[in-house]
Amino acid sequence: MKLYFLSFSLILYTLINGQVLDYSRQENWLVIPEKSPSFFKDRNLDSGLINKVDVFFIFPTILTDYADPRWNAEMTDTSWKNDALNKAIRFQASAWLECGRMFAPFYQQAHLKAYDYLDGRGREALLYAYEDIRASFIYYLAHYNQGRPFILAGHSQGCTQLLLLIHEFIDQKPLSEKLIAAYLPGIGIDSNEFKSIPFMQSPEQTGGFVTWNTMNQAPDNDLYPLWYKGKACINPVTWDLSASTERKQHKGFLYTNNQCYSHVFETQLIDGAICVQNFRSPFQMAIKKYKNLHVGDINLFWKDIEENSKNRIKKYLSSY
């Protein structure tokens, strides 16, 4: 989903009253160095990166049931919190686990319907959620960062929130020098969204952002023309503007069985989206039911993201 048109200036005058989460409390974090999920324990972490780099991850919209009357999530909702951990962290944030110390805050995110009401209540719900993101980042900077370079990453609403964060704290600010890269898939972003944070179009470039939106075989008639057409999009196999890739170039799809499979599909880069095509058996049947692959923006390219992130980190560290 996108919110590139939700200007940071709205924050100055369109906030609703509510209780911002206290990030001195571990319970308000999904992941911090002192608190990691059990399914992270078996990963072989590179201490060389873990000791030098941080990753700040914002999870996507979990509240999607239109029968749910809420506009924002509540921290008393254990089902929502478990989904954030066992879906977003397990299958998305895990792509960056070997890239640095991970920080992933809970936040009182907006319901999916907020994107249908961006001129009113939906906008307020998204900005209310941003107040948590803002507070978590301020706490991170004050208590953890200690001048370390970092990666920003998220998906869908997570990237909506990261856009606002980048505008407030990083774009044309001294902190931009510490940004290795921002991975912002699943929303429509203009290539010139920021003034000093470029849309990166080469695989080792640092200090900018990358974004992509995944279509199944070909553009759909719903999300694509409304949210993605005409927006920035990288090919997340080559990390440049390559028009297409072959299966042998694809590095790894993290599937629902927690196994990572390489050489699964081909890609075609179109205006504002990446089409994944010609899945190898047995994945073609599992994917067939999806009209678009927004849900798979990260785990389809899980290993590609991990390797590219490590390459950008090494390039950044070598220049300092």
Side-chain angles (χ1 to χ4, degrees):
M1 294 299 189
K2 69 173 183 179
L3 245 203
Y4 63 91
F5 51 83
L6 202 165
S7 169
F8 165 66
S9 63
L10 293 172
I11 299 168
L12 299 177
Y13 61 88
T14 315
L15 295 174
I16 61 176
N17 295 323
Q19 184 65 48
V20 176
L21 297 183
D22 178 1
Y23 289 97
S24 69
R25 301 169 64 97
Q26 287 192 17
E27 66 197 59
N28 290 329
W29 293 90
L30 278 151
V31 184
I32 48 175
E34 305 92 327
K35 176 186 176 185
S36 294
S38 59
F39 50 78
F40 278 1
K41 304 300 183 186
D42 297 331
R43 295 285 291 277
N44 182 23
L45 302 185
D46 182 343
S47 60
L49 297 184
I50 298 299
N51 293 332
K52 295 178 180 177
V53 175
D54 292 340
V55 177
F56 196 83
F57 178 85
I58 308 300
F59 64 93
T61 307
I62 306 295
L63 293 182
T64 59
D65 182 358
Y66 272 75
D68 187 338
R70 293 176 294 175
W71 283 97
N72 288 87
E74 301 162 342
M75 289 297 289
T76 55
D77 185 342
T78 57
S79 176
W80 167 79
K81 292 169 72 176
N82 286 334
D83 280 349
L85 179 65
N86 292 303
K87 293 180 180 178
I89 300 301
R90 184 187 291 270
F91 293 102
Q92 295 186 331
S94 58
W96 289 276
L97 178 63
E98 296 184 8
C99 297
R101 296 188 306 174
M102 182 165 289
F103 298 83
F106 277 113
Y107 67 108
Q108 298 166 99
Q109 68 172 204
H111 191 285
L112 180 62
K113 65 187 174 186
Y115 288 91
D116 299 328
Y117 298 95
L118 292 175
D119 291 332
R121 191 64 182 83
R123 180 180 62 186
E124 293 176 352
L126 286 158
L127 291 172
Y128 178 47
Y130 175 69
E131 286 300 285
D132 281 343
I133 301 302
R134 184 178 189 275
S136 69
F137 193 66
I138 289 173
Y139 189 87
Y140 156 74
L141 290 176
H143 296 275
Y144 287 105
N145 177 259
Q146 298 179 328
R148 293 157 63 100
F150 55 85
I151 283 177
L152 298 177
H155 180 236
S156 197
Q157 183 177 162
C159 295
T160 292
Q161 305 299 344
L162 285 173
L163 286 181
L164 296 174
L165 188 79
I166 293 169
H167 275 295
E168 181 175 7
F169 290 94
I170 299 172
D171 192 22
Q172 293 188 303
K173 308 290 197 307
L175 199 57
S176 64
E177 295 182 5
K178 297 297 182 180
L179 177 66
I180 298 171
Y183 289 81
L184 306 174
I187 56 175
I189 308 176
D190 288 328
S191 60
N192 61 351
E193 170 71 21
F194 307 110
K195 294 179 180 178
S196 69
I197 310 299
F199 171 48
M200 299 185 297
Q201 300 177 36
S202 62
E204 291 190 345
Q205 189 176 352
T206 61
F209 76 95
V210 288
T211 184
W212 64 95
N213 304 289
T214 315
M215 299 284 105
N216 190 0
Q217 305 296 328
D220 66 31
N221 293 323
D222 298 324
L223 287 181
Y224 175 68
L226 181 62
W227 302 104
Y228 306 144
K229 185 175 173 58
K231 303 304 173 185
C233 186
I234 204 74
N235 188 321
V237 172
T238 58
W239 302 100
D240 56 21
L241 301 181
S242 294
S244 62
T245 62
E246 301 175 359
R247 282 182 188 167
K248 64 183 180 181
Q249 294 174 266
H250 173 239
K251 295 180 177 63
F253 169 21
L254 182 63
Y255 196 50
T256 54
N257 62 1
N258 293 309
Q259 299 298 310
C260 189
Y261 299 90
S262 61
H263 309 157
V264 174
F265 51 75
E266 301 171 356
T267 67
Q268 181 183 8
L269 183 64
I270 60 171
D271 179 17
I274 188 79
C275 295
V276 288
Q277 305 170 332
N278 300 324
F279 280 80
R280 69 173 172 87
S281 178
F283 300 102
Q284 73 270 38
M285 295 306 297
I287 297 296
K288 190 175 181 180
K289 64 181 179 180
Y290 291 97
K291 193 176 204 179
N292 68 74
L293 292 172
H294 175 73
V295 68
D297 281 325
I298 291 178
N299 61 302
L300 283 166
F301 304 99
W302 189 89
K303 192 66 175 179
D304 306 80
I305 291 168
E306 180 187 73
E307 292 193 10
N308 179 254
S309 297
K310 288 181 178 180
N311 288 338
R312 292 188 199 272
I313 290 169
K314 291 172 182 176
K315 181 68 173 181
Y316 177 93
L317 294 178
S318 71
S319 64
Y320 285 87

